[in-house]
Amino acid sequence: MQQIIEVIKQAFGSIPFEQLLREFILYSTKEPWFFTEFSFLFTFGIFLFFYALLFTQNSFRKIYLIAFSLFFYYKSSGPFLALFVFQIVVDFLFARKIENKEGTSKQIWLGVAVLFSLSFLLYFKYPNFILENTNWLLLTHFEPVDLFLPIGISFYTFQSISYIVDVYRGEIRSSKSFLDYAFYMTFFPHLVAGPIVRAKDFLGQINSPENLDARRYKESLFRIVTGLIKKLLIADYLGKYVDMVFDNPALYTGGENLLGALAYSFQIYFDFSGYSDIAIGLALLLGYRLKENFENPYGSTNVTEFWRKWHISLSTWLRDYVYIPLGGNRKGALNTYLFLLITMLVGGFWHGASWQFVCWGAAHGLALALHKAIHKHLPEGKWMDFLGGIFTFSFVTFCWIFFRARDFDTALLLLNQMAIATSETDFIGFWFSRNELAILLVALLSWTIIPGNWKRKAFELTFYVPSFFWFFFLLAALQLIIQFRDTLVQPFIYFQF
């Protein structure tokens, strides 16, 4: 017995507890804590154990989850946690004030509240954009400022604005419980990269989370594992080739540049939808349901349908808080087209402080306006749907080039290579030199044409699979992830927004 005790002491004595504790407590803005980190998954497992013990204790459960969510945010943004908490407190008070006002006073309080929320986003995200364009226009010489962009600020800013505006419109009552509002704003699965959650969809769930029955358990695990596979096995693998091509398009043939753009289309989808899947799965484990953020967008037959299925939480936010307030389709055709363009310009600018994102948004806005103008005159039928799907996917991929390239010159160089240096031998050479990547791209292209309802039915069928199968499914999935994932896991793409 004494020997066993000595062995245990020696084993635990070799573990650098002080170092582990230091790493656990300290934050890193350069290496944010995200769902694919082993340290997060391990910590979440411990958190989940105590969460289950507190599940029936409403107040303690909420406080415990808020505390973990704030710790999750601290691990990525450190002292900016204080700014986040300050914004939560002030927005809560603004909403209470707005609800109790009428007429012009109510409108003024709304304007102040929205400007307050936007002020942080504008200060941290757009100062260099403003300075650069001021220098260009006025021939001034302002130096760029070195500011850290707090992770998730674009998402939680839009989320707080939606809450305040919904209270102003009378669509929801302001939360009387600060604890409930803090829970809604800090809920860690959606905190740093969405989905952008509406208060009317979530506040009602806070005090009545659903129990984790067999179906919910299977669904949550399936979503988490699927999200990890999307991110670690597909998106990160594609990202290595994408980075090579976009870093220096001149070194590659036109065909390789074309395939690089194609690879990025799939990389950003599987990266972001993978994050959304993990977020939805984690929320389900905790008893809450987040709305879907993607619905087979690359199977869309036109650009309007694409934006109903891509980043749904953002596209519906832009519709409800920009497009419809501008006038929507109620002020004539020309104004409708203008409002669509303005809405997508806002969407582009939300993504990043550069003219590339503005150009990306403008291209989608013009495409939406054009489709709005001609869709009633287009012939119908399966062949038109097929051709529309090819055109829509090609257009979206073309726009992603400006979204991904570090500047306009790189984007134009890539397009130039595609236009003048492409031949059929590029693709033959690619097939033999990068066979695994070529097979993956063919598989993903084939996957896009599978109807979305088929995928949903296949997903539903998984719930009827015997429970013991799930054990083997998890083992196989984890083995794949461990064996084939890159040693350096890339942050989720939308963390930068």
Side-chain angles (χ1 to χ4, degrees):
M1 183 66 180
Q2 187 64 31
Q3 291 177 336
I4 295 175
I5 294 174
E6 289 298 325
V7 170
I8 293 174
K9 285 182 177 179
Q10 291 176 7
F12 280 92
S14 63
I15 297 176
F17 283 108
E18 185 177 344
Q19 180 183 347
L20 290 174
L21 182 62
R22 189 183 302 112
E23 291 179 359
F24 181 73
I25 293 175
L26 296 179
Y27 69 91
S28 173
T29 56
K30 295 182 179 179
E31 297 179 1
W33 213 39
F34 41 86
F35 298 155
T36 51
E37 289 280 348
F38 173 77
S39 58
F40 167 79
L41 296 173
F42 178 75
T43 306
F44 178 71
I46 298 173
F47 159 81
L48 201 59
F49 173 78
F50 291 101
Y51 181 81
L53 297 179
L54 296 172
F55 189 77
T56 57
Q57 307 298 317
N58 193 39
S59 295
F60 288 114
R61 184 191 70 252
K62 289 190 290 186
I63 293 171
Y64 180 59
L65 212 160
I66 290 171
F68 183 81
S69 296
L70 292 176
F71 175 70
F72 176 80
Y73 190 77
Y74 163 80
K75 287 288 289 180
S76 300
S77 296
F80 293 98
L81 171 64
L83 180 68
F84 179 44
V85 172
F86 174 66
Q87 185 168 346
I88 291 172
V89 172
V90 175
D91 285 340
F92 172 78
L93 296 175
F94 271 135
R96 298 290 293 162
K97 177 69 73 173
I98 289 169
E99 188 174 47
N100 294 322
K101 294 293 182 179
E102 296 291 340
T104 304
S105 176
K106 190 172 189 176
Q107 294 175 344
I108 292 172
W109 276 105
L110 172 67
V112 172
V114 171
L115 286 174
F116 171 80
S117 292
L118 285 175
S119 63
F120 297 103
L121 182 61
L122 293 171
Y123 175 78
F124 285 104
K125 194 167 185 176
Y126 300 102
N128 286 328
F129 178 81
I130 294 170
L131 292 176
E132 288 171 9
N133 286 279
T134 300
N135 288 339
W136 182 75
L137 285 171
L138 304 179
L139 301 179
T140 52
H141 301 283
F142 293 111
E143 293 293 326
V145 294
D146 185 17
L147 287 176
F148 171 72
L149 180 66
I151 288 179
I153 190 170
S154 298
F155 288 92
Y156 68 69
T157 297
F158 270 25
Q159 184 163 310
S160 68
I161 289 174
S162 71
Y163 170 74
I164 290 168
V165 173
D166 285 352
V167 170
Y168 169 81
R169 292 173 174 173
E171 295 181 8
I172 60 171
R173 299 294 303 273
S174 67
S175 176
K176 296 180 179 179
S177 166
F178 175 72
L179 203 62
D180 286 358
Y181 180 69
F183 188 103
Y184 157 68
M185 286 297 297
T186 64
F187 189 56
F188 76 89
H190 69 69
L191 178 56
V192 296
I196 301 169
V197 177
R198 304 286 187 89
K200 59 186 176 183
D201 297 324
F202 193 75
L203 283 177
Q205 301 183 54
I206 291 176
N207 294 303
S208 55
E210 297 182 17
N211 291 315
L212 190 65
D213 56 19
R215 180 185 174 90
R216 182 181 285 268
Y217 177 72
K218 291 177 180 178
E219 183 179 359
S220 62
L221 288 182
F222 185 84
R223 297 302 290 262
I224 293 170
V225 172
T226 300
L228 290 172
I229 290 173
K230 282 182 175 181
K231 166 62 178 170
L232 298 175
L233 297 189
I234 300 178
D236 282 1
Y237 180 75
L238 292 171
K240 291 185 289 186
Y241 179 71
V242 170
D243 290 345
M244 288 192 303
V245 172
F246 277 84
D247 283 347
N248 197 339
L251 296 179
Y252 299 90
T253 66
E256 288 173 320
N257 278 273
L258 174 61
L259 292 169
L262 177 65
Y264 183 68
S265 285
F266 288 118
Q267 182 198 2
I268 192 171
Y269 170 73
F270 282 98
D271 187 282
F272 194 18
S273 70
Y275 180 95
S276 296
D277 282 336
I278 298 171
I280 291 170
L282 292 174
L284 284 169
L285 279 177
L286 300 173
Y288 303 97
R289 185 172 290 277
L290 303 179
K291 285 194 168 184
E292 295 294 335
N293 209 22
F294 295 89
E295 290 186 2
N296 199 38
Y298 287 158
S300 303
T301 58
N302 56 70
V303 70
T304 302
E305 183 184 355
F306 172 80
W307 276 105
R308 290 179 184 145
K309 297 181 175 183
W310 175 273
H311 200 173
I312 298 170
S313 63
L314 175 63
S315 61
T316 54
W317 194 99
L318 292 170
R319 179 197 66 198
D320 295 343
Y321 302 104
V322 180
Y323 175 67
I324 291 177
L326 284 172
N329 57 4
R330 305 185 305 276
K331 296 186 177 182
L334 289 178
N335 281 325
T336 297
Y337 308 148
L338 177 62
F339 298 153
L340 284 169
L341 177 60
I342 293 172
T343 299
M344 292 311 299
L345 285 172
V346 172
F349 203 47
W350 176 86
H351 279 88
S354 79
W355 286 108
Q356 291 162 250
F357 291 108
V358 175
C359 178
W360 174 81
H364 276 279
L366 291 171
L368 286 168
L370 177 62
H371 180 256
K372 188 82 171 177
I374 67 172
H375 76 282
K376 292 182 179 179
H377 306 289
L378 294 174
E380 297 181 355
K382 291 184 178 180
W383 274 107
M384 279 303 301
D385 288 345
F386 177 73
L387 294 174
I390 293 175
F391 177 81
T392 301
F393 181 74
S394 301
F395 170 76
V396 169
T397 298
F398 168 79
C399 291
W400 284 136
I401 293 172
F402 294 91
F403 192 95
R404 171 60 179 81
R406 63 178 175 269
D407 50 44
F408 272 113
D409 287 341
T410 303
L412 294 175
L413 177 58
L414 191 144
L415 290 170
N416 184 64
Q417 288 291 97
M418 290 165 54
I420 68 172
T422 301
S423 69
E424 64 275 6
T425 58
D426 296 346
F427 303 102
I428 298 172
F430 184 87
W431 178 266
F432 288 104
S433 62
R434 302 182 186 275
N435 185 251
E436 292 178 351
L437 178 58
I439 291 172
L440 177 60
L441 289 175
V442 170
L444 295 178
L445 279 170
S446 302
W447 170 85
T448 61
I449 64 175
I450 299 175
N453 60 328
W454 290 18
K455 296 173 184 176
R456 285 191 293 271
K457 288 178 182 178
F459 175 63
E460 288 290 329
L461 288 175
T462 61
F463 298 126
Y464 300 100
V465 175
S467 297
F468 71 86
F469 170 81
W470 286 86
F471 176 74
F472 294 105
F473 166 72
L474 288 175
L475 284 181
L478 290 173
Q479 178 63 30
L480 280 172
I481 292 170
I482 292 170
Q483 184 171 347
F484 293 105
R485 76 180 181 92
D486 201 326
T487 53
L488 180 62
V489 178
Q490 298 297 321
F492 288 95
I493 291 173
Y494 264 70
F495 268 29
Q496 64 184 295
F497 305 132

